[in-house]
Amino acid sequence: GHRDRGQRGEYHKNDRGRQEDRGCDQSAVQIGKVTSSVANKLRIIMGILRNSALKQVENRKRLLVAYHLYRSLIGKPAIESSVNHEKKIIFVHNPKVAGTSIRDLLGLKGNISHLTPGLLVNKRLWEEYDVVIAVREPIERFISSYNYHTSERYDGYYLKKYPDIKSWTIEKYFRIFSREPFGIIPQIHYLSHPLSLKRPDFILRYENLKRDIDLLIDVLNESGNRVNRQQFILNKDLIRKLVDFYREDYRELDYPLPK
């Protein structure tokens, strides 16, 4: 619950976070110089992308620069439902970590997006605005995701893709969703922008949500709500698989490994 550039419990300015990624910047061109032909090609390329392809774009810096060039060309340099331009705040919506409550706190409107930072906003906004993200103990986050996607009220994207999802065991859910590009991916993917060295400014911990939101309120002069945790019993084999899948989360976010 902290203004944080990668070090738990404190906030500090990091000059490296403002450095230019010169190799990426040099591969972009001035928008005003882009011909209509190039613009049309970019529109065609970006128009056919889906989740898996988007992750491939994010993993390749030159493609990511082109992605943001395209978004600038169409006047949408960011996923606007995740940005409050008036307050200069970006909210990276890590799934199943009280994101809806935090969105309300930050005054965000529109459709929720779980895109990772490189696809959410361009480098300039990432470095100029305050970035807020919430994190959670990895296995509890996974359990919350399973409960949500298999609940009676769920009627979103994955139900259309997997019509029988509500009948899945938690083991089957992990086996299939561990291959999804966004569904239950490790949280480390939400903590950095591929074109920048800057870390998020505020990292809120779900386990200390009220305290952390209170700290955020002190800065933003807003209000928020507390969210209760869920409980679930897992077998040892699945716990072992989950710990392996989220190993980098446990290390990076300093959560203790389950016993």
Side-chain angles (χ1 to χ4, degrees), residues 28-31 34 38 42 64-74:
V29 296
Q30 294 293 330
I31 292 175
V34 177
V38 171
L42 284 170
L64 189 56
V65 169
Y67 167 82
H68 286 298
L69 176 59
Y70 162 74
R71 293 197 62 88
S72 295
L73 283 169
I74 63 174

Side-chain angles (χ1 to χ4, degrees), residues 103-168:
R103 282 176 56 82
D104 292 341
L105 167 70
L106 300 176
L108 298 173
K109 308 295 182 183
N111 295 330
I112 291 173
S113 172
H114 293 306
L115 290 179
T116 42
L119 300 170
L120 196 67
V121 297
N122 62 25
K123 178 184 176 184
R124 179 183 64 81
L125 290 178
W126 177 263
E127 295 188 340
E128 290 183 3
Y129 285 17
D130 283 328
V131 177
V132 179
I133 183 174
V135 297
R136 184 177 188 176
E137 198 284 329
I139 291 181
E140 292 223 1
R141 172 176 169 264
F142 165 77
I143 291 170
S144 179
S145 183
Y146 170 75
N147 284 335
Y148 174 64
H149 288 137
T150 58
S151 68
E152 285 299 321
R153 70 181 185 276
Y154 180 68
D155 63 353
Y157 166 77
Y158 291 112
L159 182 61
K160 297 178 179 65
K161 185 172 183 180
Y162 305 112
D164 64 337
I165 189 172
K166 296 186 181 184
S167 67
W168 289 1

